[in-house]
Amino acid sequence: MSLLRIENLTVALPQGAERPHAISDVSMSLDAGEILCIVGESGSGKSVSVAATMGLLPAALKITQGRILLDGTDILGFSPAQMRDMRGKRIGMIFQEPMTALNPLMRVRDQVAEIMQVHGAPVGNRVLELLEAVGLPNPATLARAYPHQLSGGQRQRVMIAIALALEPAILIADEPTTALDVTTQMQVLHLIRNIQQRRGMGVLFITHDFGVVAEIADRVVVMQQGAVVESGHVTEILQNPQHPYTLKLIAAVPHTTPPPRPAPPGHPITGRPILELVGVTKTYRGRGAVPAVHQASLRIGRGETLGLVGESGSGKSTLARAIVRLVIPESGAIRFHDTDLRPLSRGQWKPFRKRIQMVFQDPAASLNPRRRVGDIIAEGPVAHGEPRHKARARAIELLRLVQLDPGAADRFPHEFSGGQRQRIGIARALAMEPELLIADEPVSALDVSVQAQILELLEDLRVRLNLTMLFITHDLRVAAQICDRVAVMRRGIIVEQGPTAEVFANPTHDYTRALLDSIPGRRKNQT
């Protein structure tokens, strides 16, 4: 008998939605000792299937058909008290975003202990044992910390500790590695696999990335628009996919072989730099001095895309923010053409702001939720003196350029998907007609197929508009697809740089090799 069996489950959407059902006639099963990956893009029904299993569906969604059997018992008939007893005891869950799921006002030890106290289980030394079991260093120290004092990987390990506290038979992991660095992602994947093997649990793992599937799955279920379109053993699905959607998802996973890269017409990539950084150093000072960037030097030639890669905390974003004067480095030179930007006053810097623009990582946070998209895009040119009607007309042109309907100009950011919001962020940056575009992790939180579309769009814009780009990412697969050269950062220091193909084929620094070895599915694809 399967640990968990979902049979013909249908969940209806509210009237007026784009389709009648969030999921329709979905069936799957999970056995003890296996990892089942549910794969699909946002809106495919992955998380709805899991929320129904945990009794966490929003009130607007209604189950109209089907059964969910836990050890042969249909849990859809459980009372609220029975569901609360089941959560944590029989099924533990790791949520996608631990910073949202963890209580910011509670220390780590209290949050891990809380689930045991709610279920009447003894706490004792169990909190420290769990923190140690999930590989956290100095458990006694971390137990006293608040979530904001931990790294993303540490917060995710705390979530895993909470999910394991009552030793459930089933562990549900909802996109637990999507926004993590490749090395941290690999550590979390190995941790989940090792715990599953030691305890014989069944793991239901939700992801949109077939690279992750190749690394961890035993069996795979592929979902599209609320339906299961393909399922089977991981080897069968990866080597002989049958459904066009499965083929599309596998094809969308970026790889580390750089494709041919055309130069902008009439403007070949040249050695003369548009941007040159020499010995840039930035230290954050609070209770102590924290060196974020140390003696960083790099050059970007006209028409070139330079990838700046490294883990969170490596100094990538600080270096980018120093270029656009969001932080001020204490030493070094930042030369744009022949002008050193670092010593300029705010007024002296203003003309350069038009020529250097930035696409931020999270468009939902960087777009004003109270303004319509057309006004958001037109805002920069208007601030620099362009008549509003001309700026608004230009905004319409830019929406077409980034492959959005002109009608989007009259809508608000929350009315768009993540990929569409990122296109709006790109249009806003292009409204100033910049020479240099800085893209700070612009695809890290997107589905792989949407990610591929944004990368293709950026490459198309580079060629058509003769753009020069600094592209920041923690994912070397992404860097391989879009960057002519890469610079690798670790703890504020650029440890290696060179042509992308050369660095990826023959890395000279141990850190670069570690990043490459941490790419999900890479080693399995090489064997």
Side-chain angles (χ1 to χ4, degrees), residues 189-269:
L189 291 177
H190 284 173
L191 174 63
I192 291 173
R193 168 63 85 178
N194 290 339
I195 290 171
Q196 176 262 335
Q197 290 177 340
R198 286 202 312 268
R199 304 190 180 199
M201 292 188 306
V203 175
L204 198 59
F205 194 105
I206 297 173
T207 182
H208 63 257
D209 188 342
F210 260 101
V212 170
V213 170
E215 196 67 43
I216 199 171
D218 296 310
R219 288 191 302 114
V220 183
V221 169
V222 183
M223 293 189 69
Q224 181 188 27
Q225 295 185 338
V228 174
V229 297
E230 188 165 0
S231 63
H233 190 272
V234 63
T235 304
E236 173 189 346
I237 298 294
L238 290 174
Q239 295 182 359
N240 189 30
Q242 299 297 306
H243 197 276
Y245 182 67
T246 309
L247 288 164
K248 173 190 169 186
L249 288 179
I250 293 174
V253 176
H255 47 79
T256 54
T257 304
R261 292 178 50 72
H267 295 278
I269 293 170

Side-chain angles (χ1 to χ4, degrees), residues 96 98 151-157 175-186 188-189 312 444 474-475:
Q96 178 174 356
S151 70
Q154 288 173 329
R155 287 193 290 266
Q156 198 57 281
R157 288 171 186 266
E175 297 269 16
T177 63
T178 295
L180 299 179
D181 300 324
V182 285
T183 50
T184 307
Q185 179 183 63
M186 188 59 67
V188 171
L189 291 177
S312 295
S444 62
H474 66 256
D475 191 335

Side-chain angles (χ1 to χ4, degrees), residues 65-87:
Q65 172 186 297
R67 302 193 301 169
I68 302 176
L69 304 177
L70 177 64
D71 294 325
T73 301
D74 187 358
I75 63 175
L76 294 182
F78 278 13
S79 67
Q82 288 175 306
M83 289 299 295
R84 285 194 297 271
D85 189 59
M86 178 204 74
R87 296 186 201 110

Side-chain angles (χ1 to χ4, degrees), residues 400-464:
R400 290 194 180 99
L401 188 67
V402 299
Q403 300 163 16
L404 288 175
D405 189 280
D410 296 320
R411 297 161 62 192
F412 292 94
H414 73 271
E415 298 179 69
F416 297 88
S417 69
Q420 289 172 326
R421 282 196 294 264
Q422 197 56 280
R423 290 173 186 268
I424 294 166
I426 293 168
R428 177 178 61 178
L430 294 178
M432 303 298 293
E433 300 183 358
E435 295 176 59
L436 175 65
L437 187 67
I438 299 174
D440 188 5
E441 297 273 15
V443 298
S444 62
L446 302 178
D447 294 330
V448 285
S449 56
V450 179
Q451 183 181 90
Q453 294 167 13
I454 297 296
L455 292 177
E456 185 178 338
L457 172 65
L458 285 171
E459 177 61 8
D460 177 62
L461 294 172
R462 180 190 74 90
V463 174
R464 291 169 60 184

